Amino acid sequence: MATIFALAAGLTVVQANEANAQAVTKSATGLPLPRFASLKSSRVNMRVGPGTEYAASWLYMRSGLPVEIIAEFENWRRIRDAEGTEGWVYHSMLSGQRTAVAAPWMREKGDNIFVNLRRNAAKDANVIAKLQPGVLVKLKECTGDWCEAEVDGTEGWLHQAEIWGAYPGEAFK
């Protein structure tokens, strides 16, 4: 059984609460708000406003990190990261590729806390890898309860409540 350790993503997160989830609305692009996306580039500036004339407040240095798009203004998207930090990024810096972070809210709970990647979408399925909180995974699909994911060439299923990057009950392929 493999143990996957977090790479230096630099994220700590408070677990999303269903009661705090925003209502889904349609944006100017016709896509739902809020929605998840990921960073397309390994260098993405987050700005304090929707334009290059606004100061950069953060520089992301890892492609594939999941972000939540919470607003749109012309070609700019207001995003929220797994830590809750909000700001604006240019739309071409974002990808529709779905990714997630394994239970980042559990990072501070000790070194022996893991998220189980299972062979099948069942609580009693064999564990094929133990993911350290904060590990970045690629999502293939989510059923509303389970997400099929890939990390470092290993594919399996994660319980949807143990990731940040898919809404509770959200299903997609």
Side-chain angles (χ1 to χ4, degrees), residues 93-158:
M93 297 284 99
L94 300 172
S95 168
Q97 169 68 49
R98 295 293 296 267
T99 63
V101 178
W105 56 88
M106 293 173 37
R107 278 190 170 176
E108 305 302 321
K109 295 191 176 190
D111 293 335
N112 293 321
I113 303 294
F114 298 99
V115 174
N116 292 325
L117 184 67
R118 298 185 179 276
R119 185 162 313 284
N120 302 98
K123 289 187 180 198
D124 60 352
N126 289 342
V127 174
I128 57 174
K130 290 183 173 280
L131 308 182
Q132 190 177 46
V135 167
L136 180 65
V137 301
K138 292 179 185 176
L139 298 179
K140 294 181 166 217
E141 72 172 284
C142 289
T143 67
D145 291 318
W146 292 90
C147 292
E148 186 178 13
E150 185 269 326
V151 58
D152 292 335
T154 302
E155 295 181 14
W157 292 83
L158 296 166

Side-chain angles (χ1 to χ4, degrees), residues 30-111:
L31 298 171
L33 287 175
R35 67 182 181 274
F36 280 103
S38 61
L39 300 181
K40 189 183 287 188
S41 175
S42 60
R43 293 182 58 88
V44 177
N45 283 320
M46 176 187 279
R47 297 187 177 276
V48 296
T52 56
E53 67 273 15
Y54 291 95
S57 59
W58 193 258
L59 174 63
Y60 292 99
M61 298 187 65
R62 181 143 189 223
S63 66
L65 288 176
V67 294
E68 184 179 29
I69 299 172
I70 57 174
E72 296 180 352
F73 178 76
E74 295 176 356
N75 289 326
W76 292 86
R77 305 296 178 258
R78 185 165 178 84
I79 64 166
R80 179 182 303 127
D81 66 20
E83 290 184 12
T85 303
E86 294 183 11
W88 293 88
V89 300
Y90 196 66
H91 73 99
S92 66
M93 297 284 99
L94 300 172
S95 168
Q97 169 68 49
R98 295 293 296 267
T99 63
V101 178
W105 56 88
M106 293 173 37
R107 278 190 170 176
E108 305 302 321
K109 295 191 176 190
D111 293 335

Side-chain angles (χ1 to χ4, degrees), residues 15-24 33-34 36 68 80 166-168:
Q15 184 174 10
N17 184 328
E18 285 187 50
N20 293 332
Q22 294 178 330
V24 175
L33 287 175
F36 280 103
E68 184 179 29
R80 179 182 303 127
Y167 297 109

